[in-house]
Amino acid sequence: MKFLKAFGQFWYDFIIGDDWKIAVAVVTTLAILVIAMLSGAFSDTALTLVGGALLIVAFSLSLAIDVRKKSG
């Protein structure tokens, strides 16, 4: 049982890390991309570009939230 707890803690720290907002942003972006891919709405190149743009926007929003909290 101790091994399972340590294993779970490792994966939590590895995936979530210091900022849970970035992990949520990545999972949300991947979910949006999977839905778009399965619907056939975009080509492979467009999916790549949209995915990159979504990750940049999500990271920027997470950073803006953290900066706003610390400055006020």
Side-chain angles (χ1 to χ4, degrees), residues 18-69:
D18 293 332
D19 193 3
W20 63 269
K21 292 180 291 299
I22 293 175
V24 169
V26 169
V27 170
T28 304
T29 299
L30 289 174
I32 291 169
L33 288 175
V34 166
I35 292 168
M37 182 185 68
L38 292 176
S39 71
F42 298 106
S43 67
D44 290 345
T45 304
L47 279 173
T48 303
L49 294 174
V50 168
L54 284 173
L55 283 175
I56 290 171
V57 167
F59 178 75
S60 299
L61 287 173
S62 174
L63 187 63
I65 290 168
D66 286 344
V67 170
R68 184 182 63 188
K69 283 183 183 177

